[in-house]
Amino acid sequence: DVPINTALYPSNWELSAARAINVARYLQRLGVDPALLSAAAYGEHRPVSENDTPEGRAKNRRIEIVLVPRD
């Protein structure tokens, strides 16, 4: 809940999306078929910790990788 507002990232949601997309691109560079990848961003809407300490905010700056069977 510490808002960001820069020309590149007007909100935490855009920053979250950029992180997710960068991870998807990294996996693609490692050889993962991009047709099998998707990126989702939740910004401040799905915290796993409180945001009132630096440690809590660090826990909320994360990516999650979910593996889903194709069949």
Side-chain angles (χ1 to χ4, degrees):
D1 67 351
V2 177
I4 189 171
N5 186 356
T6 68
L8 189 56
Y9 306 114
S11 77
N12 288 339
W13 208 346
E14 280 87 2
L15 178 57
S16 176
R19 284 186 178 127
I21 291 166
N22 280 326
V23 171
R25 287 182 177 154
Y26 175 75
L27 292 172
Q28 180 183 2
R29 285 193 305 272
L30 291 179
V32 177
D33 181 354
L36 301 175
L37 298 171
S38 64
Y42 299 106
E44 66 275 13
H45 303 291
R46 289 196 185 176
V48 295
S49 184
E50 298 296 323
N51 278 316
D52 54 356
T53 66
E55 294 81 15
R57 287 189 294 276
K59 288 180 183 178
N60 287 326
R61 285 189 300 271
R62 70 190 187 285
I63 57 102
E64 295 178 9
I65 296 176
V66 178
L67 303 176
V68 180
R70 289 198 288 176
D71 52 296

Short mmCIF file of all heavy atoms in Angstrom, two decimals:
data_model
loop_
_atom_site.label_atom_id
_atom_site.label_comp_id
_atom_site.label_asym_id
_atom_site.label_seq_id
_atom_site.Cartn_x
_atom_site.Cartn_y
_atom_site.Cartn_z
N ASP A 1 0.81 -1.21 0.00
CA ASP A 1 0.00 0.00 0.00
C ASP A 1 0.85 1.26 0.00
O ASP A 1 0.40 2.30 0.42
CB ASP A 1 -0.99 -0.02 1.15
CG ASP A 1 -0.33 0.06 2.51
OD1 ASP A 1 0.90 -0.02 2.59
OD2 ASP A 1 -1.07 0.20 3.49
N VAL A 2 2.08 1.14 -0.47
CA VAL A 2 2.91 2.32 -0.69
C VAL A 2 2.82 2.60 -2.19
O VAL A 2 3.44 1.91 -3.00
CB VAL A 2 4.38 2.09 -0.26
CG1 VAL A 2 5.22 3.31 -0.57
CG2 VAL A 2 4.44 1.73 1.22
N PRO A 3 2.01 3.58 -2.57
CA PRO A 3 1.77 3.81 -3.99
C PRO A 3 3.03 4.21 -4.74
O PRO A 3 3.89 4.91 -4.21
CB PRO A 3 0.75 4.94 -4.01
CG PRO A 3 0.20 5.02 -2.64
CD PRO A 3 1.27 4.49 -1.72
N ILE A 4 3.10 3.76 -5.97
CA ILE A 4 4.15 4.19 -6.89
C ILE A 4 3.46 5.05 -7.94
O ILE A 4 2.29 4.83 -8.26
CB ILE A 4 4.87 2.99 -7.54
CG1 ILE A 4 6.09 3.45 -8.33
CG2 ILE A 4 3.93 2.18 -8.40
CD1 ILE A 4 6.97 2.30 -8.80
N ASN A 5 4.14 6.03 -8.43
CA ASN A 5 3.56 6.87 -9.49
C ASN A 5 4.71 7.47 -10.28
O ASN A 5 5.19 8.54 -9.96
CB ASN A 5 2.67 7.96 -8.90
CG ASN A 5 1.95 8.73 -9.99
OD1 ASN A 5 2.17 8.50 -11.17
ND2 ASN A 5 1.09 9.64 -9.60
N THR A 6 5.16 6.71 -11.28
CA THR A 6 6.23 7.18 -12.15
C THR A 6 5.72 7.16 -13.58
O THR A 6 4.63 6.63 -13.86
CB THR A 6 7.47 6.27 -12.05
OG1 THR A 6 7.16 4.99 -12.61
CG2 THR A 6 7.92 6.11 -10.60
N ALA A 7 6.48 7.72 -14.49
CA ALA A 7 6.08 7.71 -15.90
C ALA A 7 5.98 6.27 -16.41
O ALA A 7 5.10 5.94 -17.20
CB ALA A 7 7.07 8.51 -16.73
N LEU A 8 6.88 5.40 -15.94
CA LEU A 8 6.89 4.02 -16.40
C LEU A 8 5.82 3.18 -15.69
O LEU A 8 5.20 2.32 -16.31
CB LEU A 8 8.28 3.41 -16.16
CG LEU A 8 8.55 2.05 -16.77
CD1 LEU A 8 8.33 2.05 -18.28
CD2 LEU A 8 9.99 1.64 -16.47
N TYR A 9 5.62 3.42 -14.41
CA TYR A 9 4.65 2.66 -13.61
C TYR A 9 3.72 3.62 -12.88
O TYR A 9 4.00 4.06 -11.77
CB TYR A 9 5.37 1.77 -12.60
CG TYR A 9 6.39 0.86 -13.21
CD1 TYR A 9 7.74 1.01 -12.92
CD2 TYR A 9 6.01 -0.16 -14.08
CE1 TYR A 9 8.68 0.16 -13.49
CE2 TYR A 9 6.95 -0.99 -14.66
CZ TYR A 9 8.29 -0.82 -14.36
OH TYR A 9 9.22 -1.65 -14.92
N PRO A 10 2.58 3.94 -13.49
CA PRO A 10 1.67 4.88 -12.85
C PRO A 10 0.99 4.32 -11.59
O PRO A 10 0.41 5.07 -10.82
CB PRO A 10 0.66 5.21 -13.92
CG PRO A 10 0.87 4.26 -15.03
CD PRO A 10 2.19 3.59 -14.83
N SER A 11 1.07 3.00 -11.39
CA SER A 11 0.48 2.40 -10.18
C SER A 11 1.19 1.09 -9.87
O SER A 11 1.94 0.55 -10.69
CB SER A 11 -1.02 2.14 -10.37
OG SER A 11 -1.22 0.98 -11.17
N ASN A 12 0.93 0.56 -8.69
CA ASN A 12 1.51 -0.72 -8.31
C ASN A 12 1.02 -1.85 -9.22
O ASN A 12 1.70 -2.85 -9.39
CB ASN A 12 1.16 -1.04 -6.85
CG ASN A 12 1.94 -0.18 -5.89
OD1 ASN A 12 2.98 0.36 -6.24
ND2 ASN A 12 1.43 -0.04 -4.68
N TRP A 13 -0.16 -1.70 -9.79
CA TRP A 13 -0.69 -2.72 -10.68
C TRP A 13 0.19 -2.84 -11.93
O TRP A 13 0.50 -3.93 -12.38
CB TRP A 13 -2.11 -2.40 -11.05
CG TRP A 13 -2.96 -3.58 -11.38
CD1 TRP A 13 -2.55 -4.86 -11.65
CD2 TRP A 13 -4.36 -3.62 -11.48
NE1 TRP A 13 -3.61 -5.67 -11.91
CE2 TRP A 13 -4.75 -4.93 -11.80
CE3 TRP A 13 -5.35 -2.67 -11.32
CZ2 TRP A 13 -6.07 -5.31 -11.99
CZ3 TRP A 13 -6.67 -3.05 -11.50
CH2 TRP A 13 -7.02 -4.35 -11.82
N GLU A 14 0.57 -1.71 -12.51
CA GLU A 14 1.46 -1.75 -13.69
C GLU A 14 2.82 -2.33 -13.33
O GLU A 14 3.39 -3.09 -14.13
CB GLU A 14 1.62 -0.35 -14.29
CG GLU A 14 0.48 0.09 -15.18
CD GLU A 14 -0.66 0.76 -14.41
OE1 GLU A 14 -0.55 0.92 -13.18
OE2 GLU A 14 -1.66 1.10 -15.05
N LEU A 15 3.33 -2.01 -12.17
CA LEU A 15 4.60 -2.58 -11.72
C LEU A 15 4.48 -4.09 -11.57
O LEU A 15 5.34 -4.85 -12.01
CB LEU A 15 5.03 -1.94 -10.41
CG LEU A 15 6.32 -2.46 -9.79
CD1 LEU A 15 7.50 -2.32 -10.74
CD2 LEU A 15 6.59 -1.74 -8.47
N SER A 16 3.38 -4.55 -11.00
CA SER A 16 3.12 -5.98 -10.85
C SER A 16 3.04 -6.67 -12.21
O SER A 16 3.60 -7.75 -12.41
CB SER A 16 1.82 -6.18 -10.07
OG SER A 16 1.47 -7.53 -9.97
N ALA A 17 2.38 -6.04 -13.16
CA ALA A 17 2.26 -6.61 -14.51
C ALA A 17 3.63 -6.71 -15.17
O ALA A 17 3.95 -7.71 -15.81
CB ALA A 17 1.32 -5.75 -15.36
N ALA A 18 4.46 -5.68 -15.00
CA ALA A 18 5.80 -5.71 -15.59
C ALA A 18 6.62 -6.85 -15.00
O ALA A 18 7.33 -7.55 -15.73
CB ALA A 18 6.51 -4.37 -15.36
N ARG A 19 6.51 -7.08 -13.70
CA ARG A 19 7.24 -8.19 -13.07
C ARG A 19 6.78 -9.53 -13.66
O ARG A 19 7.59 -10.39 -14.00
CB ARG A 19 7.02 -8.20 -11.57
CG ARG A 19 7.79 -7.15 -10.84
CD ARG A 19 7.63 -7.33 -9.33
NE ARG A 19 8.42 -6.35 -8.63
CZ ARG A 19 7.94 -5.55 -7.70
NH1 ARG A 19 6.68 -5.63 -7.32
NH2 ARG A 19 8.72 -4.68 -7.10
N ALA A 20 5.46 -9.70 -13.76
CA ALA A 20 4.91 -10.96 -14.28
C ALA A 20 5.34 -11.20 -15.72
O ALA A 20 5.73 -12.31 -16.10
CB ALA A 20 3.39 -10.95 -14.15
N ILE A 21 5.29 -10.18 -16.53
CA ILE A 21 5.67 -10.31 -17.94
C ILE A 21 7.16 -10.62 -18.07
O ILE A 21 7.56 -11.44 -18.91
CB ILE A 21 5.28 -9.04 -18.72
CG1 ILE A 21 3.74 -8.97 -18.82
CG2 ILE A 21 5.92 -9.02 -20.10
CD1 ILE A 21 3.23 -7.61 -19.27
N ASN A 22 7.98 -9.98 -17.25
CA ASN A 22 9.41 -10.26 -17.30
C ASN A 22 9.73 -11.70 -16.95
O ASN A 22 10.62 -12.32 -17.54
CB ASN A 22 10.18 -9.30 -16.40
CG ASN A 22 10.37 -7.95 -17.06
OD1 ASN A 22 10.54 -7.86 -18.26
ND2 ASN A 22 10.35 -6.90 -16.26
N VAL A 23 9.01 -12.28 -16.01
CA VAL A 23 9.22 -13.68 -15.66
C VAL A 23 8.80 -14.57 -16.82
O VAL A 23 9.50 -15.52 -17.18
CB VAL A 23 8.46 -14.06 -14.36
CG1 VAL A 23 8.49 -15.56 -14.13
CG2 VAL A 23 9.08 -13.32 -13.18
N ALA A 24 7.67 -14.28 -17.44
CA ALA A 24 7.21 -15.06 -18.59
C ALA A 24 8.24 -14.99 -19.73
O ALA A 24 8.56 -16.00 -20.36
CB ALA A 24 5.85 -14.59 -19.06
N ARG A 25 8.78 -13.81 -19.97
CA ARG A 25 9.80 -13.65 -21.03
C ARG A 25 11.08 -14.42 -20.68
O ARG A 25 11.71 -15.01 -21.55
CB ARG A 25 10.12 -12.18 -21.24
CG ARG A 25 9.02 -11.43 -21.95
CD ARG A 25 9.40 -10.00 -22.17
NE ARG A 25 8.36 -9.31 -22.92
CZ ARG A 25 8.14 -8.02 -22.86
NH1 ARG A 25 8.90 -7.26 -22.08
NH2 ARG A 25 7.19 -7.46 -23.57
N TYR A 26 11.45 -14.41 -19.41
CA TYR A 26 12.62 -15.16 -18.98
C TYR A 26 12.42 -16.66 -19.22
O TYR A 26 13.30 -17.33 -19.75
CB TYR A 26 12.89 -14.88 -17.50
CG TYR A 26 14.01 -15.71 -16.92
CD1 TYR A 26 15.34 -15.42 -17.23
CD2 TYR A 26 13.74 -16.78 -16.09
CE1 TYR A 26 16.37 -16.18 -16.70
CE2 TYR A 26 14.77 -17.55 -15.57
CZ TYR A 26 16.07 -17.25 -15.87
OH TYR A 26 17.09 -18.01 -15.36
N LEU A 27 11.26 -17.17 -18.87
CA LEU A 27 10.97 -18.59 -19.10
C LEU A 27 10.98 -18.91 -20.59
O LEU A 27 11.45 -19.97 -21.01
CB LEU A 27 9.63 -18.97 -18.47
CG LEU A 27 9.61 -18.94 -16.94
CD1 LEU A 27 8.19 -19.13 -16.42
CD2 LEU A 27 10.55 -19.98 -16.36
N GLN A 28 10.49 -17.99 -21.40
CA GLN A 28 10.53 -18.18 -22.86
C GLN A 28 11.98 -18.26 -23.33
O GLN A 28 12.32 -19.12 -24.15
CB GLN A 28 9.80 -17.04 -23.56
CG GLN A 28 9.80 -17.17 -25.06
CD GLN A 28 9.14 -16.00 -25.76
OE1 GLN A 28 8.69 -15.06 -25.12
NE2 GLN A 28 9.09 -16.05 -27.07
N ARG A 29 12.84 -17.38 -22.84
CA ARG A 29 14.26 -17.42 -23.23
C ARG A 29 14.92 -18.73 -22.81
O ARG A 29 15.86 -19.18 -23.44
CB ARG A 29 15.02 -16.24 -22.62
CG ARG A 29 14.75 -14.92 -23.31
CD ARG A 29 15.74 -13.84 -22.92
NE ARG A 29 15.84 -13.60 -21.49
CZ ARG A 29 15.06 -12.76 -20.79
NH1 ARG A 29 14.12 -12.07 -21.41
NH2 ARG A 29 15.24 -12.60 -19.49
N LEU A 30 14.40 -19.35 -21.76
CA LEU A 30 14.93 -20.64 -21.32
C LEU A 30 14.40 -21.81 -22.16
O LEU A 30 14.81 -22.94 -21.96
CB LEU A 30 14.58 -20.89 -19.85
CG LEU A 30 15.29 -20.00 -18.84
CD1 LEU A 30 14.82 -20.34 -17.43
CD2 LEU A 30 16.79 -20.13 -18.94
N GLY A 31 13.47 -21.50 -23.08
CA GLY A 31 12.97 -22.55 -23.97
C GLY A 31 11.54 -22.97 -23.74
O GLY A 31 11.05 -23.86 -24.44
N VAL A 32 10.85 -22.36 -22.79
CA VAL A 32 9.45 -22.71 -22.57
C VAL A 32 8.62 -22.11 -23.71
O VAL A 32 8.78 -20.94 -24.06
CB VAL A 32 8.95 -22.18 -21.20
CG1 VAL A 32 7.47 -22.47 -21.02
CG2 VAL A 32 9.77 -22.78 -20.07
N ASP A 33 7.75 -22.92 -24.29
CA ASP A 33 6.89 -22.48 -25.39
C ASP A 33 6.01 -21.33 -24.89
O ASP A 33 5.25 -21.49 -23.94
CB ASP A 33 6.03 -23.65 -25.84
CG ASP A 33 5.10 -23.33 -26.99
OD1 ASP A 33 5.01 -22.15 -27.41
OD2 ASP A 33 4.44 -24.27 -27.47
N PRO A 34 6.08 -20.16 -25.54
CA PRO A 34 5.29 -19.02 -25.08
C PRO A 34 3.78 -19.27 -25.16
O PRO A 34 3.01 -18.62 -24.45
CB PRO A 34 5.72 -17.87 -25.99
CG PRO A 34 6.40 -18.50 -27.14
CD PRO A 34 6.93 -19.82 -26.67
N ALA A 35 3.35 -20.21 -25.99
CA ALA A 35 1.92 -20.53 -26.05
C ALA A 35 1.45 -21.19 -24.76
O ALA A 35 0.25 -21.26 -24.50
CB ALA A 35 1.65 -21.45 -27.24
N LEU A 36 2.39 -21.65 -23.94
CA LEU A 36 2.05 -22.28 -22.68
C LEU A 36 2.16 -21.33 -21.49
O LEU A 36 1.91 -21.73 -20.35
CB LEU A 36 2.96 -23.49 -22.44
CG LEU A 36 2.93 -24.58 -23.51
CD1 LEU A 36 3.97 -25.64 -23.21
CD2 LEU A 36 1.54 -25.18 -23.60
N LEU A 37 2.53 -20.09 -21.74
CA LEU A 37 2.76 -19.13 -20.66
C LEU A 37 1.64 -18.10 -20.61
O LEU A 37 1.07 -17.73 -21.63
CB LEU A 37 4.08 -18.40 -20.88
CG LEU A 37 5.35 -19.25 -20.87
CD1 LEU A 37 6.55 -18.41 -21.31
CD2 LEU A 37 5.58 -19.84 -19.49
N SER A 38 1.36 -17.65 -19.43
CA SER A 38 0.50 -16.49 -19.25
C SER A 38 1.01 -15.70 -18.05
O SER A 38 1.70 -16.24 -17.19
CB SER A 38 -0.96 -16.89 -19.05
OG SER A 38 -1.12 -17.64 -17.87
N ALA A 39 0.69 -14.44 -18.02
CA ALA A 39 1.12 -13.58 -16.92
C ALA A 39 -0.11 -12.87 -16.38
O ALA A 39 -0.95 -12.39 -17.14
CB ALA A 39 2.15 -12.56 -17.42
N ALA A 40 -0.22 -12.83 -15.07
CA ALA A 40 -1.31 -12.13 -14.40
C ALA A 40 -0.72 -11.20 -13.35
O ALA A 40 0.29 -11.51 -12.73
CB ALA A 40 -2.26 -13.12 -13.75
N ALA A 41 -1.37 -10.08 -13.15
CA ALA A 41 -0.89 -9.10 -12.19
C ALA A 41 -2.03 -8.72 -11.25
O ALA A 41 -3.16 -8.49 -11.68
CB ALA A 41 -0.40 -7.85 -12.92
N TYR A 42 -1.71 -8.66 -9.96
CA TYR A 42 -2.73 -8.32 -8.98
C TYR A 42 -2.39 -7.06 -8.19
O TYR A 42 -3.22 -6.58 -7.42
CB TYR A 42 -2.93 -9.49 -8.02
CG TYR A 42 -3.40 -10.72 -8.74
CD1 TYR A 42 -2.53 -11.79 -8.96
CD2 TYR A 42 -4.68 -10.81 -9.24
CE1 TYR A 42 -2.95 -12.91 -9.64
CE2 TYR A 42 -5.11 -11.93 -9.94
CZ TYR A 42 -4.24 -12.98 -10.13
OH TYR A 42 -4.66 -14.09 -10.81
N GLY A 43 -1.18 -6.54 -8.36
CA GLY A 43 -0.81 -5.32 -7.65
C GLY A 43 -1.02 -5.47 -6.16
O GLY A 43 -0.60 -6.44 -5.55
N GLU A 44 -1.70 -4.54 -5.59
CA GLU A 44 -1.95 -4.55 -4.14
C GLU A 44 -3.17 -5.37 -3.75
O GLU A 44 -3.54 -5.42 -2.58
CB GLU A 44 -2.11 -3.11 -3.64
CG GLU A 44 -3.33 -2.39 -4.14
CD GLU A 44 -3.17 -1.71 -5.49
OE1 GLU A 44 -2.18 -1.98 -6.20
OE2 GLU A 44 -4.04 -0.91 -5.86
N HIS A 45 -3.79 -6.04 -4.69
CA HIS A 45 -5.07 -6.70 -4.44
C HIS A 45 -4.99 -8.10 -3.86
O HIS A 45 -6.00 -8.65 -3.46
CB HIS A 45 -5.91 -6.70 -5.72
CG HIS A 45 -6.13 -5.32 -6.24
ND1 HIS A 45 -6.90 -4.39 -5.60
CD2 HIS A 45 -5.60 -4.69 -7.32
CE1 HIS A 45 -6.88 -3.26 -6.26
NE2 HIS A 45 -6.10 -3.41 -7.32
N ARG A 46 -3.81 -8.72 -3.79
CA ARG A 46 -3.65 -10.05 -3.20
C ARG A 46 -2.39 -10.12 -2.33
O ARG A 46 -1.49 -10.92 -2.61
CB ARG A 46 -3.59 -11.12 -4.29
CG ARG A 46 -4.92 -11.34 -4.97
CD ARG A 46 -4.89 -12.65 -5.72
NE ARG A 46 -6.12 -12.82 -6.47
CZ ARG A 46 -6.36 -13.81 -7.28
NH1 ARG A 46 -5.44 -14.74 -7.46
NH2 ARG A 46 -7.49 -13.91 -7.92
N PRO A 47 -2.34 -9.34 -1.28
CA PRO A 47 -1.14 -9.39 -0.43
C PRO A 47 -1.09 -10.70 0.36
O PRO A 47 -2.12 -11.30 0.65
CB PRO A 47 -1.33 -8.19 0.50
CG PRO A 47 -2.81 -8.00 0.58
CD PRO A 47 -3.33 -8.40 -0.79
N VAL A 48 0.13 -11.13 0.69
CA VAL A 48 0.31 -12.30 1.55
C VAL A 48 0.78 -11.87 2.93
O VAL A 48 0.88 -12.69 3.83
CB VAL A 48 1.30 -13.32 0.94
CG1 VAL A 48 0.74 -13.91 -0.33
CG2 VAL A 48 2.66 -12.70 0.73
N SER A 49 1.07 -10.59 3.09
CA SER A 49 1.57 -10.07 4.35
C SER A 49 1.07 -8.65 4.53
O SER A 49 0.60 -8.01 3.58
CB SER A 49 3.10 -10.10 4.35
OG SER A 49 3.61 -9.68 5.60
N GLU A 50 1.18 -8.15 5.75
CA GLU A 50 0.83 -6.75 6.02
C GLU A 50 1.84 -5.85 5.33
O GLU A 50 2.98 -6.24 5.10
CB GLU A 50 0.82 -6.49 7.52
CG GLU A 50 -0.22 -7.31 8.27
CD GLU A 50 -1.64 -6.96 7.88
OE1 GLU A 50 -1.92 -5.77 7.64
OE2 GLU A 50 -2.47 -7.88 7.80
N ASN A 51 1.43 -4.64 5.01
CA ASN A 51 2.31 -3.69 4.34
C ASN A 51 2.84 -2.61 5.27
O ASN A 51 3.37 -1.60 4.81
CB ASN A 51 1.57 -3.03 3.17
CG ASN A 51 1.57 -3.89 1.94
OD1 ASN A 51 2.59 -4.45 1.59
ND2 ASN A 51 0.44 -4.00 1.30
N ASP A 52 2.73 -2.81 6.58
CA ASP A 52 3.13 -1.76 7.51
C ASP A 52 4.59 -1.86 7.96
O ASP A 52 5.05 -1.05 8.75
CB ASP A 52 2.20 -1.71 8.71
CG ASP A 52 2.06 -3.05 9.42
OD1 ASP A 52 2.63 -4.05 8.93
OD2 ASP A 52 1.37 -3.10 10.45
N THR A 53 5.33 -2.84 7.42
CA THR A 53 6.76 -2.96 7.71
C THR A 53 7.51 -3.22 6.40
O THR A 53 6.93 -3.75 5.44
CB THR A 53 7.06 -4.12 8.68
OG1 THR A 53 6.74 -5.36 8.03
CG2 THR A 53 6.28 -3.99 9.98
N PRO A 54 8.79 -2.88 6.36
CA PRO A 54 9.58 -3.20 5.16
C PRO A 54 9.60 -4.70 4.86
O PRO A 54 9.56 -5.12 3.71
CB PRO A 54 10.98 -2.68 5.48
CG PRO A 54 10.76 -1.61 6.50
CD PRO A 54 9.57 -2.07 7.31
N GLU A 55 9.63 -5.52 5.92
CA GLU A 55 9.65 -6.98 5.72
C GLU A 55 8.34 -7.47 5.09
O GLU A 55 8.35 -8.32 4.20
CB GLU A 55 9.89 -7.70 7.05
CG GLU A 55 11.25 -7.44 7.65
CD GLU A 55 11.36 -6.10 8.40
OE1 GLU A 55 10.30 -5.48 8.71
OE2 GLU A 55 12.49 -5.68 8.66
N GLY A 56 7.22 -6.94 5.56
CA GLY A 56 5.93 -7.32 4.99
C GLY A 56 5.80 -6.88 3.55
O GLY A 56 5.32 -7.64 2.71
N ARG A 57 6.25 -5.66 3.26
CA ARG A 57 6.19 -5.19 1.87
C ARG A 57 7.08 -6.04 0.97
O ARG A 57 6.72 -6.35 -0.16
CB ARG A 57 6.56 -3.71 1.80
CG ARG A 57 5.47 -2.81 2.35
CD ARG A 57 5.74 -1.33 2.08
NE ARG A 57 6.90 -0.84 2.80
CZ ARG A 57 6.88 -0.41 4.06
NH1 ARG A 57 5.76 -0.44 4.75
NH2 ARG A 57 7.98 0.05 4.62
N ALA A 58 8.24 -6.47 1.48
CA ALA A 58 9.14 -7.32 0.70
C ALA A 58 8.47 -8.65 0.38
O ALA A 58 8.61 -9.17 -0.73
CB ALA A 58 10.44 -7.55 1.45
N LYS A 59 7.72 -9.20 1.33
CA LYS A 59 7.00 -10.46 1.07
C LYS A 59 5.95 -10.29 -0.01
O LYS A 59 5.63 -11.23 -0.74
CB LYS A 59 6.36 -10.97 2.35
CG LYS A 59 7.35 -11.51 3.35
CD LYS A 59 6.64 -12.01 4.59
CE LYS A 59 7.65 -12.50 5.62
NZ LYS A 59 6.99 -12.94 6.85
N ASN A 60 5.37 -9.11 -0.11
CA ASN A 60 4.33 -8.87 -1.11
C ASN A 60 4.90 -8.58 -2.49
O ASN A 60 4.16 -8.63 -3.48
CB ASN A 60 3.42 -7.73 -0.65
CG ASN A 60 2.51 -8.17 0.48
OD1 ASN A 60 2.09 -9.32 0.52
ND2 ASN A 60 2.24 -7.27 1.39
N ARG A 61 6.19 -8.29 -2.57
CA ARG A 61 6.84 -8.12 -3.88
C ARG A 61 7.31 -9.48 -4.33
O ARG A 61 8.45 -9.87 -4.10
CB ARG A 61 8.02 -7.15 -3.77
CG ARG A 61 7.61 -5.71 -3.66
CD ARG A 61 8.79 -4.77 -3.76
NE ARG A 61 9.79 -4.99 -2.74
CZ ARG A 61 9.81 -4.40 -1.55
NH1 ARG A 61 8.86 -3.55 -1.23
NH2 ARG A 61 10.76 -4.66 -0.68
N ARG A 62 6.43 -10.22 -4.95
CA ARG A 62 6.73 -11.61 -5.29
C ARG A 62 6.13 -11.95 -6.64
O ARG A 62 5.30 -11.24 -7.17
CB ARG A 62 6.13 -12.54 -4.23
CG ARG A 62 4.61 -12.57 -4.31
CD ARG A 62 3.96 -13.27 -3.16
NE ARG A 62 2.53 -13.42 -3.36
CZ ARG A 62 1.64 -12.45 -3.23
NH1 ARG A 62 2.03 -11.22 -2.95
NH2 ARG A 62 0.37 -12.68 -3.44
N ILE A 63 6.57 -13.07 -7.13
CA ILE A 63 5.89 -13.69 -8.27
C ILE A 63 5.51 -15.09 -7.81
O ILE A 63 6.13 -15.67 -6.92
CB ILE A 63 6.78 -13.74 -9.55
CG1 ILE A 63 8.09 -14.48 -9.31
CG2 ILE A 63 7.09 -12.33 -10.02
CD1 ILE A 63 8.05 -15.85 -9.87
N GLU A 64 4.45 -15.60 -8.39
CA GLU A 64 4.04 -16.97 -8.12
C GLU A 64 3.98 -17.69 -9.45
O GLU A 64 3.45 -17.17 -10.42
CB GLU A 64 2.66 -17.00 -7.46
CG GLU A 64 2.64 -16.37 -6.08
CD GLU A 64 1.27 -16.36 -5.44
OE1 GLU A 64 0.34 -16.99 -5.99
OE2 GLU A 64 1.12 -15.71 -4.41
N ILE A 65 4.54 -18.89 -9.48
CA ILE A 65 4.49 -19.70 -10.69
C ILE A 65 3.54 -20.86 -10.40
O ILE A 65 3.72 -21.60 -9.43
CB ILE A 65 5.89 -20.21 -11.07
CG1 ILE A 65 6.79 -19.01 -11.43
CG2 ILE A 65 5.80 -21.21 -12.23
CD1 ILE A 65 8.22 -19.36 -11.72
N VAL A 66 2.52 -20.97 -11.24
CA VAL A 66 1.52 -22.02 -11.08
C VAL A 66 1.63 -22.95 -12.26
O VAL A 66 1.60 -22.51 -13.42
CB VAL A 66 0.10 -21.40 -11.01
CG1 VAL A 66 -0.95 -22.49 -10.89
CG2 VAL A 66 0.00 -20.41 -9.87
N LEU A 67 1.79 -24.23 -11.99
CA LEU A 67 1.85 -25.23 -13.05
C LEU A 67 0.50 -25.92 -13.15
O LEU A 67 -0.06 -26.36 -12.15
CB LEU A 67 2.94 -26.26 -12.72
CG LEU A 67 4.34 -25.70 -12.51
CD1 LEU A 67 5.30 -26.82 -12.09
CD2 LEU A 67 4.83 -25.01 -13.76
N VAL A 68 -0.02 -25.99 -14.36
CA VAL A 68 -1.33 -26.57 -14.61
C VAL A 68 -1.17 -27.68 -15.63
O VAL A 68 -0.56 -27.46 -16.69
CB VAL A 68 -2.33 -25.51 -15.13
CG1 VAL A 68 -3.68 -26.10 -15.40
CG2 VAL A 68 -2.42 -24.34 -14.15
N PRO A 69 -1.69 -28.88 -15.35
CA PRO A 69 -1.57 -29.96 -16.34
C PRO A 69 -2.29 -29.60 -17.64
O PRO A 69 -3.33 -28.93 -17.61
CB PRO A 69 -2.21 -31.17 -15.66
CG PRO A 69 -2.77 -30.71 -14.38
CD PRO A 69 -2.41 -29.28 -14.17
N ARG A 70 -1.74 -30.04 -18.75
CA ARG A 70 -2.33 -29.71 -20.05
C ARG A 70 -3.50 -30.60 -20.41
O ARG A 70 -4.26 -30.27 -21.30
CB ARG A 70 -1.28 -29.79 -21.15
CG ARG A 70 -0.29 -28.68 -21.07
CD ARG A 70 0.46 -28.49 -22.34
NE ARG A 70 1.42 -29.56 -22.58
CZ ARG A 70 2.13 -29.65 -23.66
NH1 ARG A 70 2.02 -28.75 -24.60
NH2 ARG A 70 3.00 -30.63 -23.82
N ASP A 71 -3.68 -31.73 -19.77
CA ASP A 71 -4.77 -32.62 -20.16
C ASP A 71 -5.99 -32.31 -19.41
O ASP A 71 -6.81 -31.80 -19.24
CB ASP A 71 -4.42 -34.09 -19.93
CG ASP A 71 -3.92 -34.33 -18.52
OD1 ASP A 71 -2.87 -33.80 -18.16
OD2 ASP A 71 -4.58 -35.09 -17.79
#
